[in-house]
Each structure stands twice: as structure tokens, then as C-alpha cells.
Amino acid sequence: MIVTKQISSSVVFAATFVLLLLCLLGCEVWAQFEPNRECFCKLQGIIDDCRCTAESIDDFNNYEVFPILQKLLTRDFFRFYKVNMEKTCPFWPDDRQCLSKECGIGYCDDEVPSGLKQPASISVVRSELIRTSLKNDSLITQIGGTDSTCEKEESNAFDPLDTTLTEGDRRQLNDMDWHDENEDKFCDFEDEGSADMHYVDLSRNPERYTGYKGDSAQKVWTCIYQENCFKPNMKFDKNFLVHPNSFGMCFEKRVFYRLISGLHSAITISIASNSFKSSHVGFGDGIWFRNTELFKNRFGTKWTPEGPQRLKNIYFVYLFELRALVKAAPYFRKELFYTGNPKEDAETRKTVEELMSTLKKFTDPFDETEMFTGVEATARELREEFRQHFFNISRIMDCVGCDKCRLWGKLQTHGMGTALKILFSDLPTSHYKTQDGIVHPPFQLTRNEVVSLFQSFGRYASSIREVDEFRRVLT
């Protein structure tokens, strides 16, 4: 009898402990096992590597930011994007034969306002390099200025100065020049004046289901994750190539993975939100619908425990690009956003100002100053590796077989690359320093970079809103 009572007491104690533990873990644990809620179990609490919660982002985006973006991104300045769609895939042969009519896009060079065709750029950081150099004669010589004493000095007649360069010296100097010009180049995009570039009206070519799938699409993402993402130490995760994730990585490599995962997830959200079903009788236009099964398969736990985390990575990219916009806000506020239509331009500037003021209210975005710290040589090397990996991914987008998918893939990597450029170009690892140690990155943003950044941010804002719609349908 005593033994029975002891066993009963132990069972009661164990059951009480389990119930208490489940209560402490709360909704996140229950959501893992509750039908149709497992997709959303990670969208609670703090966003990894940031300081805010998913719930705060939902409210802020859906009720304040998204409505402004809807107005802004249909303005002439932002809806026309210039792109080269004919660049060949640099990694493998691709015939780009997408059989769906939804894959196609149309150019609109003749419809673009004349003001947009004029060369324009925004000085994101106004360099103090020249002003600083005037205070330091030795620095003038370093940046290409002229020292009067050097001008008058002549070469010694019996021991003349050797001004010749070996072929090896020339190659090394060329490499140095290339590095200086490309250190802040995160994407492989041509100059906007290139004859191969054409305008596309993004409002007429929305990102949605096109029917593009199969080996071609899978090959692109496999190449991105397996060959161009940072990989963890295999002692932490032996299954990374099967189920990619950020476990076992340092902070910078986790950021890189979450950016790419967030990009992939946002594209999936666009497809799931705007899927197409053909007519049952084999003809007709069919219907567009919200594909809840696709959503559950990609973001649930049926195939991989990483599914719910993929949704969370969308929020991470949202915060990342939000931070870039806020950082460049003083310069966007001075921009004319010129198209040649005074009324249109005034409305665009007004809406940009409204957006910048709204974004500034969000006090806990991503903090880029925590990246690439520590020993400078190591940090510089990691930053360059980070840049090269992303640059390579931007080139992979030319391997996408579907025109519309390739368009949005190129635009969103361009936008993310612009955010990287804004956030990281003035970190201590930047190449451009004066002798006082102050960083002065002398770069500008082209109109295409501005358009891609705003449009890319718009895709993540739209994705977060769509996640809320899926939550309403599924729960």
C-alpha cells in the first residue's frame, strides 16, 4: 500500500511538472502540435539577432508602413526599373524555355517619363576626403593632388629615377584599382546607360505564380545554398546541405544565411498568395487563389523543423532593409525624385517624407555596428568574403529560366545589395579612411539602386501582411 502511494505521488508530481513546463513554454509549444498553427509558432517573441518582437512588427507594418508603400511604389519614379534581361547565365547553359505565358514580361522604354531617362544619382554620404586632405599636405599627394616641391624637383642626372613598371607591377596595380572600385559593389549590375538595359513597368509585371518549377528552379536554389552560403562547422550540423539553417554559425554568417532564407521565403509567399489554377475543362482563363497547402508545406514542420524559422527570416530582412532606409533618410529627404511631372514629383516627395517619418518611429531595427568587429584584418577579410558571396548570388539570378521570376530575383537581390552597401560602407573595415581614422566612403546611389531598395522593402512588407492573411485563414 505504501509503495502504491509513493508511485501515485511520483506520477502526480511528474504530471504537475510537465503541465507547469508546458505553461511556461506557452503558445509556442502548443502551436507546434496544434493543426494549422505550426507554421506560425516562431512568430512570437524576439526576432533573432534583433531587439524587437514579431508582434510589434506585424502591427507597425500592416497598419502604418504597408499602406504608405502601396501609394509610393506605384508612383512613376518607383514603378519603372531598368534591367538587362539578356545576360547569360555565367555558371551553366540555360535555354530559358519557360512554357507558361505568365513567365513573360514586356519592355516599356517608350512609356517612361523623359525625366527618368536623365542620368541621376543620390549622394548618400558626402565625402569629406578633399576637405580633410587640404589640411594635410602629405595626404594630398596620396589621393592624387600635387605637391609643389615635387613639381620642381628634377631627377638626379647620374642616378635617374626609374619610372618603369614591370608587367607584374601593372597587374598588381590593376588589381588594386579593381578592388577600390568594387569594394562596395555587392551586386553584378551594369551601368544604367548600357544599351542592353531596358525599362520594365513593375506594376504590370507583379511577382506571383508563373508555373516555373522543376529542375531549373531547384538548380538555382541548390547552387545558392550549397555553394554560396556560409556553412556551419559540420560537428554542429551534419545535415546542413539537406536542411539549410543558421545553427553553429558566427553572427555575420547567421546574418547572411537569414538574408538569403528571407529572400527565398518572401518569394514563396508571393507565389502562395497569388497562385493560379487552370480551368477544370481544359480551357478558359482559370482563377487566381491563395494556396494554403503550398504555404503549409513550405513553412510548416511536416518536411523540416526549419519551416517556421523561414517565416521569421522574412521579418529579419524587413528589419535589415528598414535600417538601411532610415540610415539614408536624410539624403532621400533631399532628393527631388524627378520625372518631369511637377505634380507627380511633389506627391512622390510628400509620400517619401511620410514613409521616412514613419520608419524612424521604429526604434529597434537591425544594428549593423555589431558586425565585422574584432581584429581589423580578420574583420576586413570576413566582410570581403561576405561581399563576394552575395555578389555571386546576384550573378546566379541570371540563371533563372523564367523572365518574370528572373526580373524579381534580380530586383530583390539588387535592393538587398543596396541595403548592404548603405549599412556596411562606413564601418571601420571600409577601405576609405583618412589619416585621422575617420571613415569617408565616397559613393553614391543610382536611381536604379534607390528603386530596387524601396521595391525590395515593399516585397517584405507585403509578405508580412500576407503572413497575417494566411494566419487568419488557417487558424
Side-chain angles (χ1 to χ4, degrees), residues 29-62:
V29 172
W30 287 113
Q32 294 276 10
F33 304 100
E34 190 175 340
N36 296 328
R37 285 192 60 86
E38 70 273 9
C39 298
F40 310 103
C41 63
K42 294 286 186 180
L43 297 186
Q44 298 171 29
I46 298 295
I47 298 295
D48 300 334
D49 295 322
C50 294
R51 300 187 181 92
C52 59
T53 64
E55 296 90 340
S56 65
I57 297 174
D58 283 332
D59 291 340
F60 178 68
N61 176 74
N62 296 345

Short mmCIF file of all heavy atoms in Angstrom, two decimals, residues 29-62:
data_model
loop_
_atom_site.label_atom_id
_atom_site.label_comp_id
_atom_site.label_asym_id
_atom_site.label_seq_id
_atom_site.Cartn_x
_atom_site.Cartn_y
_atom_site.Cartn_z
N VAL A 29 4.94 26.22 -27.82
CA VAL A 29 5.00 24.76 -27.79
C VAL A 29 3.70 24.16 -28.31
O VAL A 29 3.70 23.25 -29.13
CB VAL A 29 5.27 24.28 -26.35
CG1 VAL A 29 5.14 22.77 -26.26
CG2 VAL A 29 6.67 24.71 -25.92
N TRP A 30 2.56 24.68 -27.81
CA TRP A 30 1.28 24.14 -28.25
C TRP A 30 1.12 24.28 -29.76
O TRP A 30 0.58 23.40 -30.43
CB TRP A 30 0.13 24.85 -27.54
CG TRP A 30 -0.01 24.45 -26.10
CD1 TRP A 30 0.21 25.23 -25.02
CD2 TRP A 30 -0.36 23.16 -25.59
NE1 TRP A 30 0.01 24.53 -23.86
CE2 TRP A 30 -0.34 23.25 -24.18
CE3 TRP A 30 -0.69 21.94 -26.19
CZ2 TRP A 30 -0.64 22.18 -23.36
CZ3 TRP A 30 -0.99 20.86 -25.37
CH2 TRP A 30 -0.97 20.98 -23.98
N ALA A 31 1.60 25.40 -30.29
CA ALA A 31 1.42 25.65 -31.72
C ALA A 31 2.16 24.64 -32.58
O ALA A 31 1.77 24.38 -33.71
CB ALA A 31 1.91 27.06 -32.06
N GLN A 32 3.23 24.04 -32.04
CA GLN A 32 3.97 23.05 -32.81
C GLN A 32 3.10 21.84 -33.13
O GLN A 32 3.32 21.16 -34.12
CB GLN A 32 5.20 22.57 -32.01
CG GLN A 32 6.25 23.64 -31.79
CD GLN A 32 7.17 23.75 -32.97
OE1 GLN A 32 6.92 23.17 -34.02
NE2 GLN A 32 8.23 24.52 -32.83
N PHE A 33 2.12 21.56 -32.25
CA PHE A 33 1.34 20.34 -32.41
C PHE A 33 -0.12 20.61 -32.76
O PHE A 33 -0.87 19.71 -33.08
CB PHE A 33 1.40 19.52 -31.11
CG PHE A 33 2.80 19.21 -30.70
CD1 PHE A 33 3.44 19.95 -29.72
CD2 PHE A 33 3.52 18.20 -31.33
CE1 PHE A 33 4.74 19.67 -29.35
CE2 PHE A 33 4.83 17.91 -30.96
CZ PHE A 33 5.44 18.65 -29.97
N GLU A 34 -0.53 21.86 -32.67
CA GLU A 34 -1.92 22.20 -32.98
C GLU A 34 -2.09 22.30 -34.48
O GLU A 34 -1.31 22.99 -35.16
CB GLU A 34 -2.27 23.53 -32.31
CG GLU A 34 -3.75 23.86 -32.38
CD GLU A 34 -4.06 25.12 -31.60
OE1 GLU A 34 -3.24 25.50 -30.74
OE2 GLU A 34 -5.11 25.71 -31.86
N PRO A 35 -3.07 21.64 -35.06
CA PRO A 35 -3.26 21.67 -36.51
C PRO A 35 -3.35 23.09 -37.05
O PRO A 35 -4.03 23.94 -36.48
CB PRO A 35 -4.58 20.91 -36.70
CG PRO A 35 -4.70 20.03 -35.50
CD PRO A 35 -4.07 20.82 -34.38
N ASN A 36 -2.63 23.32 -38.16
CA ASN A 36 -2.66 24.59 -38.90
C ASN A 36 -2.02 25.76 -38.16
O ASN A 36 -2.10 26.89 -38.61
CB ASN A 36 -4.10 24.97 -39.29
CG ASN A 36 -4.70 23.97 -40.24
OD1 ASN A 36 -3.99 23.38 -41.06
ND2 ASN A 36 -6.00 23.75 -40.14
N ARG A 37 -1.39 25.51 -37.00
CA ARG A 37 -0.72 26.61 -36.30
C ARG A 37 0.79 26.43 -36.25
O ARG A 37 1.51 27.32 -35.82
CB ARG A 37 -1.25 26.74 -34.86
CG ARG A 37 -2.62 27.38 -34.78
CD ARG A 37 -2.96 27.75 -33.34
NE ARG A 37 -2.01 28.71 -32.80
CZ ARG A 37 -2.12 30.03 -32.94
NH1 ARG A 37 -3.10 30.54 -33.65
NH2 ARG A 37 -1.23 30.83 -32.40
N GLU A 38 1.28 25.27 -36.70
CA GLU A 38 2.72 25.03 -36.59
C GLU A 38 3.54 26.00 -37.44
O GLU A 38 4.69 26.30 -37.12
CB GLU A 38 3.06 23.59 -36.96
CG GLU A 38 2.90 23.24 -38.44
CD GLU A 38 1.49 22.79 -38.78
OE1 GLU A 38 0.61 22.92 -37.92
OE2 GLU A 38 1.28 22.32 -39.90
N CYS A 39 2.95 26.53 -38.51
CA CYS A 39 3.68 27.47 -39.36
C CYS A 39 4.03 28.75 -38.61
O CYS A 39 5.03 29.40 -38.91
CB CYS A 39 2.85 27.84 -40.59
SG CYS A 39 2.46 26.46 -41.67
N PHE A 40 3.18 29.14 -37.65
CA PHE A 40 3.30 30.45 -37.02
C PHE A 40 3.94 30.38 -35.63
O PHE A 40 4.01 31.39 -34.94
CB PHE A 40 1.92 31.09 -36.91
CG PHE A 40 1.16 31.09 -38.21
CD1 PHE A 40 0.14 30.18 -38.42
CD2 PHE A 40 1.49 31.97 -39.22
CE1 PHE A 40 -0.56 30.16 -39.62
CE2 PHE A 40 0.81 31.95 -40.43
CZ PHE A 40 -0.22 31.04 -40.63
N CYS A 41 4.43 29.19 -35.24
CA CYS A 41 4.89 29.03 -33.86
C CYS A 41 6.14 29.85 -33.56
O CYS A 41 6.44 30.11 -32.40
CB CYS A 41 5.13 27.56 -33.55
SG CYS A 41 6.43 26.79 -34.54
N LYS A 42 6.90 30.25 -34.58
CA LYS A 42 8.11 31.05 -34.36
C LYS A 42 7.83 32.55 -34.41
O LYS A 42 8.72 33.35 -34.11
CB LYS A 42 9.16 30.70 -35.42
CG LYS A 42 9.71 29.28 -35.33
CD LYS A 42 10.65 29.12 -34.17
CE LYS A 42 11.31 27.74 -34.19
NZ LYS A 42 12.23 27.57 -33.05
N LEU A 43 6.62 32.92 -34.83
CA LEU A 43 6.33 34.35 -34.99
C LEU A 43 5.81 34.95 -33.70
O LEU A 43 4.78 35.63 -33.65
CB LEU A 43 5.31 34.55 -36.13
CG LEU A 43 5.80 34.12 -37.51
CD1 LEU A 43 4.79 34.49 -38.57
CD2 LEU A 43 7.16 34.73 -37.83
N GLN A 44 6.54 34.68 -32.63
CA GLN A 44 6.24 35.24 -31.33
C GLN A 44 7.55 35.55 -30.63
O GLN A 44 8.53 34.83 -30.79
CB GLN A 44 5.43 34.26 -30.48
CG GLN A 44 4.08 33.90 -31.09
CD GLN A 44 3.41 32.76 -30.35
OE1 GLN A 44 3.61 32.60 -29.16
NE2 GLN A 44 2.62 31.99 -31.05
N GLY A 45 7.57 36.64 -29.89
CA GLY A 45 8.77 36.97 -29.15
C GLY A 45 9.82 37.66 -30.01
O GLY A 45 9.55 38.14 -31.10
N ILE A 46 11.05 37.66 -29.50
CA ILE A 46 12.14 38.41 -30.10
C ILE A 46 12.57 37.81 -31.44
O ILE A 46 12.68 36.60 -31.58
CB ILE A 46 13.36 38.43 -29.14
CG1 ILE A 46 12.99 39.15 -27.84
CG2 ILE A 46 14.55 39.12 -29.80
CD1 ILE A 46 12.68 40.62 -28.01
N ILE A 47 12.81 38.68 -32.43
CA ILE A 47 13.40 38.26 -33.70
C ILE A 47 14.89 38.01 -33.47
O ILE A 47 15.58 38.86 -32.92
CB ILE A 47 13.20 39.34 -34.78
CG1 ILE A 47 11.71 39.58 -35.04
CG2 ILE A 47 13.90 38.95 -36.08
CD1 ILE A 47 10.97 38.40 -35.61
N ASP A 48 15.38 36.86 -33.89
CA ASP A 48 16.78 36.50 -33.67
C ASP A 48 17.73 37.59 -34.17
O ASP A 48 17.57 38.10 -35.28
CB ASP A 48 17.11 35.18 -34.37
CG ASP A 48 16.25 34.04 -33.86
OD1 ASP A 48 15.81 34.12 -32.71
OD2 ASP A 48 16.02 33.09 -34.63
N ASP A 49 18.74 37.91 -33.36
CA ASP A 49 19.78 38.89 -33.70
C ASP A 49 19.24 40.30 -33.84
O ASP A 49 19.90 41.17 -34.41
CB ASP A 49 20.54 38.48 -34.97
CG ASP A 49 21.31 37.18 -34.79
OD1 ASP A 49 21.86 37.00 -33.69
OD2 ASP A 49 21.35 36.37 -35.72
N CYS A 50 18.03 40.55 -33.36
CA CYS A 50 17.46 41.90 -33.31
C CYS A 50 16.84 42.09 -31.93
O CYS A 50 16.84 41.18 -31.11
CB CYS A 50 16.42 42.10 -34.41
SG CYS A 50 17.11 42.06 -36.08
N ARG A 51 16.27 43.26 -31.68
CA ARG A 51 15.79 43.56 -30.34
C ARG A 51 14.27 43.71 -30.25
O ARG A 51 13.75 44.09 -29.21
CB ARG A 51 16.44 44.86 -29.83
CG ARG A 51 17.95 44.81 -29.75
CD ARG A 51 18.50 46.06 -29.09
NE ARG A 51 19.95 46.05 -29.03
CZ ARG A 51 20.74 46.56 -29.96
NH1 ARG A 51 20.20 47.13 -31.02
NH2 ARG A 51 22.05 46.52 -29.84
N CYS A 52 13.57 43.46 -31.33
CA CYS A 52 12.12 43.69 -31.30
C CYS A 52 11.37 42.38 -31.48
O CYS A 52 11.96 41.35 -31.82
CB CYS A 52 11.72 44.67 -32.39
SG CYS A 52 12.18 44.11 -34.03
N THR A 53 10.07 42.42 -31.28
CA THR A 53 9.25 41.21 -31.38
C THR A 53 8.52 41.16 -32.71
O THR A 53 8.28 42.19 -33.35
CB THR A 53 8.22 41.17 -30.25
OG1 THR A 53 7.31 42.27 -30.41
CG2 THR A 53 8.89 41.25 -28.89
N ALA A 54 8.14 39.95 -33.09
CA ALA A 54 7.39 39.77 -34.33
C ALA A 54 6.04 40.47 -34.25
O ALA A 54 5.56 41.05 -35.23
CB ALA A 54 7.20 38.28 -34.61
N GLU A 55 5.43 40.43 -33.06
CA GLU A 55 4.12 41.07 -32.90
C GLU A 55 4.19 42.57 -33.13
O GLU A 55 3.29 43.16 -33.75
CB GLU A 55 3.56 40.79 -31.49
CG GLU A 55 3.27 39.32 -31.21
CD GLU A 55 4.46 38.58 -30.61
OE1 GLU A 55 5.61 39.07 -30.75
OE2 GLU A 55 4.24 37.54 -29.99
N SER A 56 5.25 43.20 -32.64
CA SER A 56 5.38 44.65 -32.83
C SER A 56 5.57 45.00 -34.30
O SER A 56 5.09 46.03 -34.78
CB SER A 56 6.55 45.20 -31.99
OG SER A 56 7.79 44.69 -32.45
N ILE A 57 6.27 44.13 -35.03
CA ILE A 57 6.48 44.35 -36.46
C ILE A 57 5.16 44.19 -37.22
O ILE A 57 4.86 44.97 -38.13
CB ILE A 57 7.53 43.38 -37.02
CG1 ILE A 57 8.87 43.62 -36.35
CG2 ILE A 57 7.67 43.55 -38.53
CD1 ILE A 57 9.94 42.61 -36.72
N ASP A 58 4.37 43.19 -36.85
CA ASP A 58 3.07 42.98 -37.50
C ASP A 58 2.22 44.25 -37.45
O ASP A 58 1.71 44.71 -38.47
CB ASP A 58 2.32 41.83 -36.83
CG ASP A 58 2.85 40.47 -37.23
OD1 ASP A 58 3.39 40.35 -38.34
OD2 ASP A 58 2.73 39.53 -36.43
N ASP A 59 2.06 44.79 -36.26
CA ASP A 59 1.22 45.98 -36.11
C ASP A 59 1.81 47.18 -36.84
O ASP A 59 1.11 47.91 -37.54
CB ASP A 59 1.06 46.31 -34.62
CG ASP A 59 0.22 45.28 -33.88
OD1 ASP A 59 -0.54 44.55 -34.56
OD2 ASP A 59 0.32 45.19 -32.65
N PHE A 60 3.10 47.38 -36.66
CA PHE A 60 3.77 48.53 -37.28
C PHE A 60 3.68 48.47 -38.80
O PHE A 60 3.35 49.46 -39.46
CB PHE A 60 5.23 48.56 -36.82
CG PHE A 60 6.04 49.68 -37.41
CD1 PHE A 60 5.78 51.00 -37.08
CD2 PHE A 60 7.06 49.41 -38.31
CE1 PHE A 60 6.53 52.03 -37.63
CE2 PHE A 60 7.81 50.43 -38.86
CZ PHE A 60 7.56 51.75 -38.52
N ASN A 61 3.97 47.31 -39.35
CA ASN A 61 3.97 47.17 -40.81
C ASN A 61 2.57 47.22 -41.39
O ASN A 61 2.29 48.00 -42.31
CB ASN A 61 4.64 45.86 -41.21
CG ASN A 61 4.59 45.63 -42.72
OD1 ASN A 61 5.30 46.26 -43.49
ND2 ASN A 61 3.72 44.72 -43.15
N ASN A 62 1.69 46.40 -40.87
CA ASN A 62 0.39 46.22 -41.50
C ASN A 62 -0.51 47.45 -41.42
O ASN A 62 -1.32 47.69 -42.33
CB ASN A 62 -0.33 45.02 -40.88
CG ASN A 62 0.40 43.72 -41.13
OD1 ASN A 62 1.29 43.65 -41.98
ND2 ASN A 62 0.05 42.68 -40.39
#
